[in-house]
Amino acid sequence: MIKKPSRQLAIDGDLVLKDAMKDIARRLDQPTRRAFLQRSLSLGGLSLLSGCGVVDESSVENALMTVSRFNDKVQAWLFDPNRLAPTYPDSMITRPFPFNAYYGEDEIREVDEESYRLEVTGMVADKHAWTLAELRAMPQTDQITRHICVEGWSAIGKWGGVPFASFLRRVGADLSAKYVGFKCADDYYTSIDMPTALHPQTLLTLTYDSQPLPPRYGFPMKLRMPTKLGYKNPKHIQAIFVTNNYPGGYWEDQGYNWFGGS
């Protein structure tokens, strides 16, 4: 008589966790996320998972973060650093490729090419500031891959630049470090795991459709990762750092999934 309810509770908890991981991976605004948790997870499953009661705003956010971080660990465990995202022919490129940012097109940041320097810090041997000329002199490659936005749309684009793994090795990055972080001219910031940074399709992008990267797509450079959702691909990059300390991100610090990919 005692074991039966315990078994049922465990089953319900598993179902709640599965549903929570599925829904929290989507982009949801703050009111929707809170309503989802209060209506669907305050029955007890999420409280058991996170160790807190979802009865006020602080508890809801703590619970959401707990499930999201758990989701990060699962995604990282499933990530295959050798599995490639699909590539496409030129004929399938989306024209025009959509603009996407947390601000409007009238607020696109303009970065001066001549004075631009890429700051490289943290767990790296070579910390000199890189000019665009130096970056363009490195071996380049291009790829036609699909950008997938957390809002539900996707588009195919042609990106060219330096394989990020090559750049990290060039600066003597500690490849056993946990994170690579990015700070951008548009005040955006994000971070990724080292296995994704070393993925063969992760690209320090300098061109779009064989032309210098336009401001609307992130001039002077963006990080292009077809294995990640769009918000994990920072634009207008000004600084890169390698660290073992969790750096967070613009959207991630507001409750969005940190791993953000496959």
PDB file of all heavy atoms in Angstrom, residues 208-221:
ATOM      1  N   TYR A 208      29.258  37.060 -46.453  1.00  0.00           N
ATOM      2  CA  TYR A 208      27.950  36.459 -46.708  1.00  0.00           C
ATOM      3  C   TYR A 208      27.731  36.454 -48.211  1.00  0.00           C
ATOM      4  O   TYR A 208      27.860  37.495 -48.870  1.00  0.00           O
ATOM      5  CB  TYR A 208      26.804  37.230 -46.035  1.00  0.00           C
ATOM      6  CG  TYR A 208      25.485  36.577 -46.356  1.00  0.00           C
ATOM      7  CD1 TYR A 208      25.120  35.386 -45.735  1.00  0.00           C
ATOM      8  CD2 TYR A 208      24.645  37.073 -47.356  1.00  0.00           C
ATOM      9  CE1 TYR A 208      23.965  34.717 -46.076  1.00  0.00           C
ATOM     10  CE2 TYR A 208      23.479  36.419 -47.700  1.00  0.00           C
ATOM     11  CZ  TYR A 208      23.141  35.242 -47.050  1.00  0.00           C
ATOM     12  OH  TYR A 208      21.999  34.572 -47.414  1.00  0.00           O
ATOM     13  N   ASP A 209      27.406  35.297 -48.760  1.00  0.00           N
ATOM     14  CA  ASP A 209      27.184  35.129 -50.195  1.00  0.00           C
ATOM     15  C   ASP A 209      28.384  35.645 -50.995  1.00  0.00           C
ATOM     16  O   ASP A 209      28.227  36.348 -52.000  1.00  0.00           O
ATOM     17  CB  ASP A 209      25.893  35.837 -50.622  1.00  0.00           C
ATOM     18  CG  ASP A 209      25.301  35.245 -51.897  1.00  0.00           C
ATOM     19  OD1 ASP A 209      25.788  34.192 -52.353  1.00  0.00           O
ATOM     20  OD2 ASP A 209      24.355  35.852 -52.450  1.00  0.00           O
ATOM     21  N   SER A 210      29.581  35.330 -50.502  1.00  0.00           N
ATOM     22  CA  SER A 210      30.866  35.643 -51.145  1.00  0.00           C
ATOM     23  C   SER A 210      31.207  37.124 -51.153  1.00  0.00           C
ATOM     24  O   SER A 210      32.140  37.543 -51.849  1.00  0.00           O
ATOM     25  CB  SER A 210      30.893  35.097 -52.590  1.00  0.00           C
ATOM     26  OG  SER A 210      30.667  33.698 -52.601  1.00  0.00           O
ATOM     27  N   GLN A 211      30.500  37.931 -50.370  1.00  0.00           N
ATOM     28  CA  GLN A 211      30.789  39.367 -50.237  1.00  0.00           C
ATOM     29  C   GLN A 211      31.089  39.679 -48.774  1.00  0.00           C
ATOM     30  O   GLN A 211      30.676  38.932 -47.880  1.00  0.00           O
ATOM     31  CB  GLN A 211      29.593  40.196 -50.710  1.00  0.00           C
ATOM     32  CG  GLN A 211      29.211  39.978 -52.158  1.00  0.00           C
ATOM     33  CD  GLN A 211      30.313  40.392 -53.126  1.00  0.00           C
ATOM     34  OE1 GLN A 211      30.969  41.427 -52.930  1.00  0.00           O
ATOM     35  NE2 GLN A 211      30.527  39.587 -54.157  1.00  0.00           N
ATOM     36  N   PRO A 212      31.839  40.774 -48.508  1.00  0.00           N
ATOM     37  CA  PRO A 212      32.085  41.141 -47.113  1.00  0.00           C
ATOM     38  C   PRO A 212      30.787  41.171 -46.319  1.00  0.00           C
ATOM     39  O   PRO A 212      29.744  41.621 -46.806  1.00  0.00           O
ATOM     40  CB  PRO A 212      32.711  42.534 -47.218  1.00  0.00           C
ATOM     41  CG  PRO A 212      33.385  42.527 -48.557  1.00  0.00           C
ATOM     42  CD  PRO A 212      32.478  41.720 -49.448  1.00  0.00           C
ATOM     43  N   LEU A 213      30.839  40.661 -45.121  1.00  0.00           N
ATOM     44  CA  LEU A 213      29.647  40.544 -44.286  1.00  0.00           C
ATOM     45  C   LEU A 213      28.972  41.908 -44.124  1.00  0.00           C
ATOM     46  O   LEU A 213      29.572  42.848 -43.619  1.00  0.00           O
ATOM     47  CB  LEU A 213      30.044  39.994 -42.912  1.00  0.00           C
ATOM     48  CG  LEU A 213      28.920  39.524 -41.992  1.00  0.00           C
ATOM     49  CD1 LEU A 213      28.234  38.294 -42.565  1.00  0.00           C
ATOM     50  CD2 LEU A 213      29.478  39.224 -40.606  1.00  0.00           C
ATOM     51  N   PRO A 214      27.707  42.055 -44.552  1.00  0.00           N
ATOM     52  CA  PRO A 214      27.028  43.346 -44.421  1.00  0.00           C
ATOM     53  C   PRO A 214      26.706  43.652 -42.952  1.00  0.00           C
ATOM     54  O   PRO A 214      26.570  42.736 -42.129  1.00  0.00           O
ATOM     55  CB  PRO A 214      25.725  43.140 -45.210  1.00  0.00           C
ATOM     56  CG  PRO A 214      25.903  41.875 -45.982  1.00  0.00           C
ATOM     57  CD  PRO A 214      26.868  41.043 -45.208  1.00  0.00           C
ATOM     58  N   PRO A 215      26.550  44.930 -42.608  1.00  0.00           N
ATOM     59  CA  PRO A 215      26.191  45.292 -41.235  1.00  0.00           C
ATOM     60  C   PRO A 215      24.925  44.588 -40.743  1.00  0.00           C
ATOM     61  O   PRO A 215      24.857  44.174 -39.582  1.00  0.00           O
ATOM     62  CB  PRO A 215      26.001  46.806 -41.306  1.00  0.00           C
ATOM     63  CG  PRO A 215      26.913  47.243 -42.413  1.00  0.00           C
ATOM     64  CD  PRO A 215      26.833  46.125 -43.426  1.00  0.00           C
ATOM     65  N   ARG A 216      23.933  44.396 -41.611  1.00  0.00           N
ATOM     66  CA  ARG A 216      22.665  43.792 -41.173  1.00  0.00           C
ATOM     67  C   ARG A 216      22.843  42.321 -40.769  1.00  0.00           C
ATOM     68  O   ARG A 216      22.001  41.760 -40.062  1.00  0.00           O
ATOM     69  CB  ARG A 216      21.578  43.948 -42.242  1.00  0.00           C
ATOM     70  CG  ARG A 216      21.754  43.095 -43.462  1.00  0.00           C
ATOM     71  CD  ARG A 216      20.790  43.533 -44.583  1.00  0.00           C
ATOM     72  NE  ARG A 216      19.426  43.620 -44.122  1.00  0.00           N
ATOM     73  CZ  ARG A 216      18.505  42.660 -44.243  1.00  0.00           C
ATOM     74  NH1 ARG A 216      18.858  41.505 -44.789  1.00  0.00           N
ATOM     75  NH2 ARG A 216      17.275  42.823 -43.826  1.00  0.00           N
ATOM     76  N   TYR A 217      23.947  41.713 -41.216  1.00  0.00           N
ATOM     77  CA  TYR A 217      24.224  40.331 -40.853  1.00  0.00           C
ATOM     78  C   TYR A 217      25.366  40.196 -39.861  1.00  0.00           C
ATOM     79  O   TYR A 217      25.780  39.076 -39.544  1.00  0.00           O
ATOM     80  CB  TYR A 217      24.514  39.491 -42.097  1.00  0.00           C
ATOM     81  CG  TYR A 217      23.367  39.428 -43.078  1.00  0.00           C
ATOM     82  CD1 TYR A 217      23.589  39.297 -44.443  1.00  0.00           C
ATOM     83  CD2 TYR A 217      22.040  39.503 -42.647  1.00  0.00           C
ATOM     84  CE1 TYR A 217      22.540  39.242 -45.353  1.00  0.00           C
ATOM     85  CE2 TYR A 217      20.987  39.458 -43.549  1.00  0.00           C
ATOM     86  CZ  TYR A 217      21.237  39.334 -44.899  1.00  0.00           C
ATOM     87  OH  TYR A 217      20.185  39.285 -45.800  1.00  0.00           O
ATOM     88  N   GLY A 218      25.880  41.342 -39.378  1.00  0.00           N
ATOM     89  CA  GLY A 218      26.836  41.258 -38.286  1.00  0.00           C
ATOM     90  C   GLY A 218      28.239  41.762 -38.510  1.00  0.00           C
ATOM     91  O   GLY A 218      29.143  41.383 -37.773  1.00  0.00           O
ATOM     92  N   PHE A 219      28.475  42.622 -39.530  1.00  0.00           N
ATOM     93  CA  PHE A 219      29.819  43.138 -39.774  1.00  0.00           C
ATOM     94  C   PHE A 219      30.441  43.668 -38.473  1.00  0.00           C
ATOM     95  O   PHE A 219      29.749  44.281 -37.676  1.00  0.00           O
ATOM     96  CB  PHE A 219      29.761  44.280 -40.814  1.00  0.00           C
ATOM     97  CG  PHE A 219      31.114  44.860 -41.137  1.00  0.00           C
ATOM     98  CD1 PHE A 219      31.897  44.296 -42.128  1.00  0.00           C
ATOM     99  CD2 PHE A 219      31.610  45.951 -40.436  1.00  0.00           C
ATOM    100  CE1 PHE A 219      33.153  44.822 -42.425  1.00  0.00           C
ATOM    101  CE2 PHE A 219      32.854  46.476 -40.717  1.00  0.00           C
ATOM    102  CZ  PHE A 219      33.629  45.908 -41.720  1.00  0.00           C
ATOM    103  N   PRO A 220      31.712  43.409 -38.244  1.00  0.00           N
ATOM    104  CA  PRO A 220      32.695  42.809 -39.158  1.00  0.00           C
ATOM    105  C   PRO A 220      32.722  41.284 -39.144  1.00  0.00           C
ATOM    106  O   PRO A 220      33.290  40.680 -40.039  1.00  0.00           O
ATOM    107  CB  PRO A 220      34.021  43.371 -38.645  1.00  0.00           C
ATOM    108  CG  PRO A 220      33.786  43.526 -37.177  1.00  0.00           C
ATOM    109  CD  PRO A 220      32.353  43.967 -37.026  1.00  0.00           C
ATOM    110  N   MET A 221      32.131  40.660 -38.106  1.00  0.00           N
ATOM    111  CA  MET A 221      32.106  39.203 -38.086  1.00  0.00           C
ATOM    112  C   MET A 221      31.007  38.705 -37.163  1.00  0.00           C
ATOM    113  O   MET A 221      30.572  39.413 -36.250  1.00  0.00           O
ATOM    114  CB  MET A 221      33.455  38.641 -37.631  1.00  0.00           C
ATOM    115  CG  MET A 221      33.712  38.783 -36.144  1.00  0.00           C
ATOM    116  SD  MET A 221      35.290  38.093 -35.649  1.00  0.00           S
ATOM    117  CE  MET A 221      36.391  39.201 -36.501  1.00  0.00           C
TER     118      MET A 221
END
